[in-house]
Amino acid sequence: MAEPTRSFLTYQGIPVWRHAVIIKWALQMVSAVAVVTLVFWFFSNIAFAINDREIPFGFSFLSRAYGTPVPEHVLPYESTDSYGYALIVAAVNTIVLAIAGVILAILLGTLIGIARISSNWLVSRLALAYVEFFRNVPLLVQLLFFFYFILLLPPLAESYNPFGVMYINNAGFAVPSPMPAGETAFAIAWGVVALVGIAAGFAAHRSLSRRETLTGRVSYPLTAGIAVAAGIAFAAWLAIWALAGEAPLAISTPEPEGRFGRIEGGLRVRSGAIVMLIGLVMYTASFIAEIVRAGIQSVGRGQTEAASALGLRPVGVLRNITFPQALRVIVPPLISQCLNLTKNSSLAAAIGFADLTNVAITMTQTAPAISIFLIIMLAYLLMSLAWSAVGNLYNWRTRIVGT
Amino acid sequence: MTTNGDAQANGEVEDIIIARDVHKWFGSFHALRGVSTTVKRAEIVVILGPSGSGKSTFIRTINRLEEHQRGEIIVDGITLSNDIRNIDAIRSEVGMVFQSFNLFPHLTVLNNITLAPMKVRHTPRAEAEETAMGLLERVGIPEQALKYPAELSGGQQQRVAIARALAMQPRIMLFDEPTSALDPEMIKDVLDVMRELAHSGMTMLVVTHEVGFAREVADRVIMFDEGMIAEEGPPNEFFTNPKSERAKLFLSQILH
Amino acid sequence: MATARMTPGADLPPPRMTTGPAGWARANLFSSPGNSATTILVGAVSLYLIWQFLGWALGPADWSVIPTLGGTLIIGQYNSETVCPSQDCFWRPQVSLLIGVTFFGILWAVAATALVRGVALTVAFVSAGMALMPLPFSEMGMDVRLLLLLNIPAVFLGYWLGKHTPVSSTRNLIIIAFAGFLLVYILLGGTVFGFFDVPGLQVVPSRYWGGLTLNLLLAAGGITASLPLGILLALGRRSNLPFVKFTCVGVIEFFRGVPLITLLFMSQTLLPLAFPRDFPLDEVMRAGIVITVFSSAYMAENIRGGLQSLHRGQTEAARALGMPPWNTTIFITLPQALRNVVPAIVGQFISLFKDTTLVFIIGMFDILQIGNSFIGSNREFLDNSRELFLFIALVFWTINYGMSYVSRRVEETLGVGRR
């Protein structure tokens, strides 16, 4: 005889306090009520405080004129532009800094990561010393060190002048760079054709490597691809020169000009951007180096041996066996380092480079702080999502069955 | 490659592998202590010995996965030295099968087999694939061609590894304990393939503990101990009437 | 016919130049012409750089900026005239240090390995060693040098407590860590969260806490709290209750998706509004909460990685023995998962300690801000900014490298990665 159960507290003949499904739902309800209550309490407190203490809040400021300069800007910017547009200008600065930083950090990090596993003791020890130093010191300390380092460089009038064409002083660096020689339109036209040329070069490389695999005939795809790209770019250069009577680009050399010796021409980078770039790249590279090292070491020695035993040369082993396998281990943590670099670029707030956070902090003096920070947090979340999307795309493309 | 061509033109070298007083040290550990032997074309040599006796190290010196430090190794008329051209020539001449298969996990079975012919020999893809399919047929698993190694059983993986080595049309095959990592029921499949290969006239050096295989297929058995050849001879004689005490002791441990 | 041939091959020494220093150099530095060239080039460049650096550090560099700042780097404005009029408050951070050192002593007794003993004794002797440094302690009231020297008996006291009292169970250790942290917090503030003041102690509002003490305090609090919080978030993310799961995913992804600086700003602008006006939550605590939650979001992902790496067989075996799910998690799954991710967890601790410098940007006087504002307001020291920041970098490096060294040794003894 089963133990009698009171009917009003049973479900499917089981007392509710012993029913797995009921317990699960009850827990859900309890946790939901707790979280919702807490969130509601926070938000009602905030709403109350905003009214009660007259904390400024709202988004109408976005269309007002900002009226404050943004020292560095990739997009065109005037002080008369709106707060909203100023935030976009600052976000683009952050994105440009992040992308430049990521590219350089991956290059440096890969180099150091490979040096870490070099058979040369001296090289691998130096790489280890680099990694251990830079990743154990807070980025902000490094940034401030570089900040003061550049601040202590000579002033504009006494700039270092290496090779007579570069200027290095406490306000920034200027280096020669190609700039439009006459009409900007010609330069842009040439740039477009050159890009088409590069695309054609890639296409040639692809088709020749295909031919090589299909027929086994050696076809030099890399050489041919570079030749095609360079050829098209050079032909376009000559054509524009012949038609317009001037080359599309010329090397512009920085020169001191005017009464105060301001440096004009060339590629000029202000000190804030340099400090951020150097700091972010050196710091992130120390993490990337470890990721690259772990990735390469994750490919077992047996793989290299098997490939060598088949007669592949070291370069072929690296390209066909080690690298593709290591990449699958490297990319996911590498993406999270790219994300970290992007978020760390917000330390520009302490250095004086007009990134998103820096501009936002300046804005809080004339606009509601909470609103501004909500906006930039959303912007950073979007950037993070973009990096995650890159990572997911890679995972999706390189899905491999089994291990 | 020219050395190889000359050798063929002059008529085949009878002694395809010649090892003279081969020494190898790992740090200060003396792993090979003067190994001398000769392998004739189409000869099947089984190498036995306790673990750590240097048998694997010895066959790995033959395709220079390990570098010997004293003595001389001549493979098909080519003397092993630091000359990269010689190393390349020998590597595509000598196939190797490993204990842990070492298939490339990121490539399909077919691509595992065609990789080296296409990258090293520049064989056209269609031809390489045709050869690969023929080899998969030969090892008995043509239906697995488009799978990845991780989807295969150990025995199937090892047979792919044999096909991969054969794709380079080697004259010599080295087997480094090819069945040690396999479940018992899969060992037979792999040994069958090796048996068939032996009958086709391939020169083979096999490190194994499979006594049955050695008795049936081997022309000669070499027993290694402490980095030296302790005893060698035809399988019948070696297994029934070993000369040295070391061989007797070893056989008493592995037979039964 | 079989021939026995053992004749050749005695145990010969290896050929010359393959062992010993010469052999080592040949194998690791000069194995090929390219390698030799690299060695010589890289060696020459690094020797030159080291020579240049030493030439600067021992020659023109002026390190006097560090003793000039002296105790301020360690405690900030804590003992200044405005904050502590009688200027006899320096003993409070020092007693806090003694409490921390005692805790290390307890850990030494609990773990009983040479490594933990080494760490505990190093911390104690380094703390005591500060008494011998040329810092202007004499201006700070009580004989602070004596208090610093007490760190050595303190570590042995902790060891004795760990050996002879029931403090050493895991549960008690956690309680002691939290209690010790609260005690330090009350001691430094001189008040129990603003509710009532401790008689006889000058109240020091947390905005005047500063220097390395602030960094260490934020880090210690963050480390103590972010591990359990991270575990909860990780378990929540793996929960089969959808609401719990998505809440945890939301928290983790939000805190990982935005920079810490923006969160710290919100901690000073939005967070106070989320609580009633007189809620006892001071600036340091608000910053600490944000740093902790930020860090625990990362911690949760590390722990989740550890949980995922476990074989399902472990859970199934425990469940088959009749263990209820929560016991399975607490006694079977979690300990294994945590053991597997020790390096990642320590990495996160290091990260957290480095992140405490970001309070710089919301104007708190941590060690970095003190250095920076000192140089900002004393332009004659501008030339010495390199020396100062190198020194600060070295302080952080020593502590962080120490942590990662310990983690690697623990990893070796636990055999992480070899399951």
Side-chain angles (χ1 to χ4, degrees), chain B residues 174-189:
Chain B
L174 308 174
F175 291 84
D176 190 359
E177 306 204 24
T179 55
S180 302
L182 295 179
D183 292 336
E185 73 272 19
M186 293 167 180
I187 291 178
K188 185 178 167 295
D189 293 338

Side-chain angles (χ1 to χ4, degrees), chain A residues 234-248:
Chain A
F234 186 63
W237 184 284
L238 287 183
I240 289 175
W241 203 352
L243 290 176
E246 62 186 12

Side-chain angles (χ1 to χ4, degrees), chain C residues 90-400:
Chain C
F90 198 41
W91 65 274
R92 283 149 68 178
Q94 288 194 305
V95 171
S96 307
L97 180 64
L98 283 175
I99 293 174
V101 168
T102 312
F103 188 71
F104 271 103
I106 297 177
L107 285 182
W108 164 24
V110 173
T113 62
L115 178 66
V116 181
R117 182 183 62 214
V119 172
L121 290 179
T122 309
V123 170
F125 277 91
V126 168
S127 308
M130 285 199 289
L132 308 175
M133 293 215 298
L135 298 174
F137 286 138
S138 50
E139 298 161 15
M140 293 179 183
M142 290 177 57
D143 193 2
V144 290
R145 288 171 202 266
L146 192 67
L147 269 174
L148 283 173
L149 288 174
L150 278 181
N151 280 302
I152 292 170
V155 78
F156 289 105
L157 173 71
Y159 182 74
W160 184 85
L161 286 174
K163 274 277 180 249
H164 300 287
T165 57
V167 297
S168 51
S169 76
T170 310
R171 199 194 58 190
N172 288 352
L173 271 184
I174 294 171
I175 293 173
I176 288 175
F178 272 102
F181 187 73
L182 281 182
L183 189 64
V184 167
Y185 210 86
I186 293 168
L187 180 67
L188 286 178
T191 169
V192 184
F193 304 109
F195 287 125
F196 56 89
D197 300 346
V198 180
L201 284 186
Q202 168 77 37
V203 174
V204 179
S206 67
R207 64 176 170 280
Y208 294 116
W209 302 3
L212 189 61
T213 311
L214 180 62
N215 295 97
L216 287 174
L217 195 72
L218 286 170
I223 287 172
T224 322
S226 72
L227 188 59
L229 192 57
I231 291 174
L232 281 183
L233 282 172
L235 292 177
R237 190 167 186 166
R238 285 167 62 88
S239 160
N240 51 12
L241 305 177
F243 185 82
V244 175
K245 180 174 176 167
F246 287 115
T247 309
C248 290
V249 171
V251 170
I252 292 172
E253 294 305 330
F254 172 75
F255 279 92
R256 274 159 40 95
V258 295
L260 181 55
I261 296 186
T262 59
L263 291 168
L264 282 169
F265 262 95
M266 282 305 207
S267 80
Q268 305 304 311
T269 53
L270 190 66
L271 200 58
L273 305 184
F275 293 94
R277 195 187 273 267
D278 45 3
F279 200 83
L281 205 58
D282 57 48
E283 288 170 346
V284 169
M285 211 181 271
R286 289 199 304 259
I289 289 174
V290 164
I291 291 176
T292 304
V293 179
F294 180 79
S295 185
S296 49
Y298 282 88
M299 197 71 85
E301 286 302 272
N302 290 335
I303 294 167
R304 190 168 71 107
L307 288 169
Q308 274 172 348
S309 72
L310 290 184
H311 288 294
R312 221 178 46 197
Q314 291 294 323
T315 325
E316 285 173 354
R319 296 302 307 279
L321 287 169
M323 288 176 78
W326 275 101
N327 279 359
T328 311
T329 306
I330 292 169
F331 295 111
I332 309 294
T333 331
L334 207 51
Q336 294 190 49
L338 290 180
R339 201 191 69 168
N340 286 348
V341 292
V342 164
I345 290 177
V346 175
Q348 190 52 43
F349 287 164
I350 292 175
S351 220
L352 190 149
F353 184 47
K354 289 188 293 182
D355 283 343
T356 60
T357 55
L358 298 200
V359 299
F360 172 100
I361 295 175
I362 53 171
M364 287 188 180
F365 278 82
D366 77 320
I367 184 170
L368 199 52
Q369 176 74 283
I370 284 169
N372 191 51
S373 54
F374 177 78
I375 286 178
S377 49
N378 300 280
R379 283 283 154 177
E380 69 271 24
F381 283 106
L382 185 62
D383 286 342
N384 304 127
S385 55
R386 291 171 199 178
E387 290 87 331
L388 179 59
F389 284 104
L390 267 184
F391 174 77
I392 295 176
L394 203 65
V395 169
F396 278 98
W397 184 85
T398 311
I399 297 172
N400 286 333

Side-chain angles (χ1 to χ4, degrees), chain B residues 2-246:
Chain B
T2 40
T3 338
N4 172 11
D6 291 348
Q8 263 176 316
N10 299 345
E12 311 241 294
V13 187
E14 182 56 17
D15 291 335
I16 197 164
I17 301 172
I18 301 165
R20 287 194 198 110
D21 192 31
V22 173
H23 287 260
K24 164 82 192 168
W25 285 265
F26 292 111
S28 58
F29 173 66
H30 200 172
L32 292 181
R33 304 177 178 186
V35 177
S36 302
T37 192
T38 341
V39 179
K40 292 193 167 45
R41 194 169 292 280
E43 192 180 11
I44 313 296
V45 178
V46 165
I47 301 176
L48 296 166
S51 59
S53 60
K55 54 194 194 303
S56 285
T57 309
F58 176 63
I59 69 165
R60 287 159 62 90
T61 57
I62 292 170
N63 65 349
R64 216 172 174 75
L65 285 182
E66 304 289 357
E67 200 176 312
H68 62 282
Q69 286 143 322
R70 217 172 89 187
E72 191 180 30
I73 301 176
I74 303 168
V75 178
D76 206 10
I78 308 168
T79 304
L80 280 181
S81 66
N82 276 326
D83 187 338
I84 292 173
R85 202 167 69 164
N86 284 356
I87 297 174
D88 284 347
I90 281 165
R91 292 241 170 110
S92 46
E93 188 106 335
V94 180
M96 183 157 191
V97 175
F98 299 85
Q99 180 179 354
S100 49
F101 327 139
N102 292 345
L103 292 182
F104 307 130
H106 62 301
L107 300 177
T108 59
V109 164
L110 192 64
N111 288 344
N112 259 284
I113 302 174
T114 56
L115 179 79
M118 282 167 58
K119 298 290 172 194
V120 180
R121 293 256 160 86
H122 299 291
T123 315
R125 171 183 277 167
E127 195 185 316
E129 286 183 350
E130 205 183 302
T131 318
M133 285 312 294
L135 287 167
L136 281 175
E137 204 90 49
R138 193 167 161 195
V139 301
I141 40 172
E143 72 284 357
Q144 312 287 357
L146 297 179
K147 290 193 181 166
Y148 283 93
E151 296 174 279
L152 270 53
S153 74
Q156 290 172 328
Q157 289 195 41
Q158 194 59 297
R159 284 186 278 161
V160 173
I162 295 174
R164 179 176 71 177
L166 288 176
M168 289 297 281
Q169 292 155 335
R171 288 142 178 265
I172 304 166
M173 284 284 281
L174 308 174
F175 291 84
D176 190 359
E177 306 204 24
T179 55
S180 302
L182 295 179
D183 292 336
E185 73 272 19
M186 293 167 180
I187 291 178
K188 185 178 167 295
D189 293 338
V190 172
L191 289 182
D192 281 346
V193 170
M194 289 168 63
R195 215 168 267 135
E196 187 265 334
L197 198 58
H199 294 313
S200 75
M202 175 71 73
T203 311
M204 288 165 63
L205 263 73
V206 185
V207 174
T208 185
H209 295 302
E210 296 292 332
V211 174
F213 177 82
R215 282 197 171 169
E216 181 199 319
V217 182
D219 298 315
R220 181 156 54 112
V221 174
I222 299 179
M223 190 195 138
F224 268 67
D225 189 43
E226 293 182 348
M228 290 171 275
I229 295 182
E231 182 163 339
E232 64 179 312
N236 279 338
E237 216 163 312
F238 177 81
F239 286 114
T240 50
N241 187 18
K243 296 280 180 293
S244 67
E245 284 307 310
R246 281 299 298 136

